[in-house]
PDB file of all heavy atoms in Angstrom:
ATOM      1  N   LEU A  90    -200.550 160.683  87.151  1.00  0.00           N
ATOM      2  CA  LEU A  90    -200.480 161.062  88.689  1.00  0.00           C
ATOM      3  C   LEU A  90    -201.676 162.027  89.045  1.00  0.00           C
ATOM      4  O   LEU A  90    -201.722 162.406  90.176  1.00  0.00           O
ATOM      5  CB  LEU A  90    -199.255 161.715  88.952  1.00  0.00           C
ATOM      6  CG  LEU A  90    -197.900 160.805  88.747  1.00  0.00           C
ATOM      7  CD1 LEU A  90    -196.658 161.667  89.036  1.00  0.00           C
ATOM      8  CD2 LEU A  90    -198.024 159.520  89.691  1.00  0.00           C
ATOM      9  N   ILE A  91    -202.614 162.036  88.019  1.00  0.00           N
ATOM     10  CA  ILE A  91    -203.751 162.857  88.516  1.00  0.00           C
ATOM     11  C   ILE A  91    -204.791 162.050  89.289  1.00  0.00           C
ATOM     12  O   ILE A  91    -205.167 161.011  88.904  1.00  0.00           O
ATOM     13  CB  ILE A  91    -204.546 163.422  87.251  1.00  0.00           C
ATOM     14  CG1 ILE A  91    -203.598 164.441  86.392  1.00  0.00           C
ATOM     15  CG2 ILE A  91    -205.883 164.173  87.553  1.00  0.00           C
ATOM     16  CD1 ILE A  91    -204.286 164.878  85.168  1.00  0.00           C
ATOM     17  N   PRO A  92    -205.235 162.640  90.532  1.00  0.00           N
ATOM     18  CA  PRO A  92    -206.224 161.674  91.333  1.00  0.00           C
ATOM     19  C   PRO A  92    -207.431 161.479  90.573  1.00  0.00           C
ATOM     20  O   PRO A  92    -207.945 162.433  89.899  1.00  0.00           O
ATOM     21  CB  PRO A  92    -206.186 162.536  92.563  1.00  0.00           C
ATOM     22  CG  PRO A  92    -205.060 163.506  92.571  1.00  0.00           C
ATOM     23  CD  PRO A  92    -204.677 163.826  91.103  1.00  0.00           C
ATOM     24  N   ARG A  93    -207.964 160.343  90.637  1.00  0.00           N
ATOM     25  CA  ARG A  93    -209.177 159.990  90.084  1.00  0.00           C
ATOM     26  C   ARG A  93    -210.050 159.181  90.916  1.00  0.00           C
ATOM     27  O   ARG A  93    -209.607 158.318  91.761  1.00  0.00           O
ATOM     28  CB  ARG A  93    -208.985 159.177  88.740  1.00  0.00           C
ATOM     29  CG  ARG A  93    -208.116 159.875  87.740  1.00  0.00           C
ATOM     30  CD  ARG A  93    -207.748 159.012  86.435  1.00  0.00           C
ATOM     31  NE  ARG A  93    -206.763 159.705  85.702  1.00  0.00           N
ATOM     32  CZ  ARG A  93    -206.964 160.583  84.807  1.00  0.00           C
ATOM     33  NH1 ARG A  93    -208.158 161.160  84.740  1.00  0.00           N
ATOM     34  NH2 ARG A  93    -205.911 161.043  84.146  1.00  0.00           N
ATOM     35  N   LYS A  94    -211.393 159.546  90.935  1.00  0.00           N
ATOM     36  CA  LYS A  94    -212.415 158.810  91.751  1.00  0.00           C
ATOM     37  C   LYS A  94    -212.612 157.403  91.074  1.00  0.00           C
ATOM     38  O   LYS A  94    -213.009 157.440  89.822  1.00  0.00           O
ATOM     39  CB  LYS A  94    -213.698 159.524  91.998  1.00  0.00           C
ATOM     40  CG  LYS A  94    -213.590 160.901  92.642  1.00  0.00           C
ATOM     41  CD  LYS A  94    -214.788 161.648  92.705  1.00  0.00           C
ATOM     42  CE  LYS A  94    -214.727 162.972  93.438  1.00  0.00           C
ATOM     43  NZ  LYS A  94    -215.901 163.822  93.578  1.00  0.00           N
ATOM     44  N   PRO A  95    -212.561 156.418  91.808  1.00  0.00           N
ATOM     45  CA  PRO A  95    -212.897 155.013  91.177  1.00  0.00           C
ATOM     46  C   PRO A  95    -214.173 154.879  90.552  1.00  0.00           C
ATOM     47  O   PRO A  95    -214.252 154.211  89.482  1.00  0.00           O
ATOM     48  CB  PRO A  95    -212.863 154.046  92.491  1.00  0.00           C
ATOM     49  CG  PRO A  95    -211.877 154.855  93.414  1.00  0.00           C
ATOM     50  CD  PRO A  95    -212.159 156.313  93.201  1.00  0.00           C
ATOM     51  N   GLY A  96    -215.190 155.457  91.086  1.00  0.00           N
ATOM     52  CA  GLY A  96    -216.552 155.399  90.431  1.00  0.00           C
ATOM     53  C   GLY A  96    -216.950 156.360  89.530  1.00  0.00           C
ATOM     54  O   GLY A  96    -218.157 156.376  89.002  1.00  0.00           O
ATOM     55  N   ASP A  97    -216.045 157.307  89.157  1.00  0.00           N
ATOM     56  CA  ASP A  97    -216.404 158.297  88.065  1.00  0.00           C
ATOM     57  C   ASP A  97    -216.248 157.743  86.825  1.00  0.00           C
ATOM     58  O   ASP A  97    -214.999 157.500  86.390  1.00  0.00           O
ATOM     59  CB  ASP A  97    -215.452 159.416  88.376  1.00  0.00           C
ATOM     60  CG  ASP A  97    -215.825 160.717  87.567  1.00  0.00           C
ATOM     61  OD1 ASP A  97    -216.738 160.597  86.794  1.00  0.00           O
ATOM     62  OD2 ASP A  97    -215.291 161.765  87.588  1.00  0.00           O
ATOM     63  N   ARG A  98    -217.230 157.479  86.094  1.00  0.00           N
ATOM     64  CA  ARG A  98    -217.210 156.870  84.705  1.00  0.00           C
ATOM     65  C   ARG A  98    -217.417 157.861  83.672  1.00  0.00           C
ATOM     66  O   ARG A  98    -217.577 157.425  82.400  1.00  0.00           O
ATOM     67  CB  ARG A  98    -218.276 155.755  84.606  1.00  0.00           C
ATOM     68  CG  ARG A  98    -217.943 154.653  85.646  1.00  0.00           C
ATOM     69  CD  ARG A  98    -216.911 153.836  85.387  1.00  0.00           C
ATOM     70  NE  ARG A  98    -216.828 152.734  86.255  1.00  0.00           N
ATOM     71  CZ  ARG A  98    -215.779 151.837  86.131  1.00  0.00           C
ATOM     72  NH1 ARG A  98    -214.937 151.763  85.103  1.00  0.00           N
ATOM     73  NH2 ARG A  98    -215.714 150.749  87.137  1.00  0.00           N
ATOM     74  N   VAL A  99    -217.595 159.197  83.922  1.00  0.00           N
ATOM     75  CA  VAL A  99    -217.946 160.137  82.876  1.00  0.00           C
ATOM     76  C   VAL A  99    -216.675 161.007  82.674  1.00  0.00           C
ATOM     77  O   VAL A  99    -216.138 161.518  83.611  1.00  0.00           O
ATOM     78  CB  VAL A  99    -219.183 161.011  83.360  1.00  0.00           C
ATOM     79  CG1 VAL A  99    -219.483 162.071  82.219  1.00  0.00           C
ATOM     80  CG2 VAL A  99    -220.312 160.096  83.585  1.00  0.00           C
ATOM     81  N   LYS A 100    -216.327 161.075  81.424  1.00  0.00           N
ATOM     82  CA  LYS A 100    -215.141 161.930  81.122  1.00  0.00           C
ATOM     83  C   LYS A 100    -215.591 162.900  79.977  1.00  0.00           C
ATOM     84  O   LYS A 100    -215.808 162.301  78.879  1.00  0.00           O
ATOM     85  CB  LYS A 100    -213.939 161.025  80.781  1.00  0.00           C
ATOM     86  CG  LYS A 100    -212.770 161.820  80.363  1.00  0.00           C
ATOM     87  CD  LYS A 100    -211.604 160.867  79.793  1.00  0.00           C
ATOM     88  CE  LYS A 100    -210.339 161.651  79.500  1.00  0.00           C
ATOM     89  NZ  LYS A 100    -210.463 162.809  78.718  1.00  0.00           N
ATOM     90  N   THR A 101    -215.432 164.180  80.167  1.00  0.00           N
ATOM     91  CA  THR A 101    -215.650 165.174  79.138  1.00  0.00           C
ATOM     92  C   THR A 101    -214.543 166.167  79.100  1.00  0.00           C
ATOM     93  O   THR A 101    -213.845 166.130  80.251  1.00  0.00           O
ATOM     94  CB  THR A 101    -216.993 165.716  79.276  1.00  0.00           C
ATOM     95  OG1 THR A 101    -217.008 166.499  80.493  1.00  0.00           O
ATOM     96  CG2 THR A 101    -218.174 164.675  79.279  1.00  0.00           C
ATOM     97  N   ASP A 102    -214.462 166.977  78.066  1.00  0.00           N
ATOM     98  CA  ASP A 102    -213.545 168.110  78.066  1.00  0.00           C
ATOM     99  C   ASP A 102    -213.809 169.041  79.292  1.00  0.00           C
ATOM    100  O   ASP A 102    -212.740 169.547  80.056  1.00  0.00           O
ATOM    101  CB  ASP A 102    -213.431 168.727  76.759  1.00  0.00           C
ATOM    102  CG  ASP A 102    -213.039 167.828  75.743  1.00  0.00           C
ATOM    103  OD1 ASP A 102    -212.474 166.811  75.880  1.00  0.00           O
ATOM    104  OD2 ASP A 102    -213.287 168.244  74.562  1.00  0.00           O
TER     105      ASP A 102
END
Side-chain angles (χ1 to χ4, degrees):
L90 299 180
I91 296 178
R93 304 181 189 280
K94 295 179 181 178
D97 189 0
R98 301 288 182 175
V99 179
K100 182 185 182 303
T101 64
D102 295 348

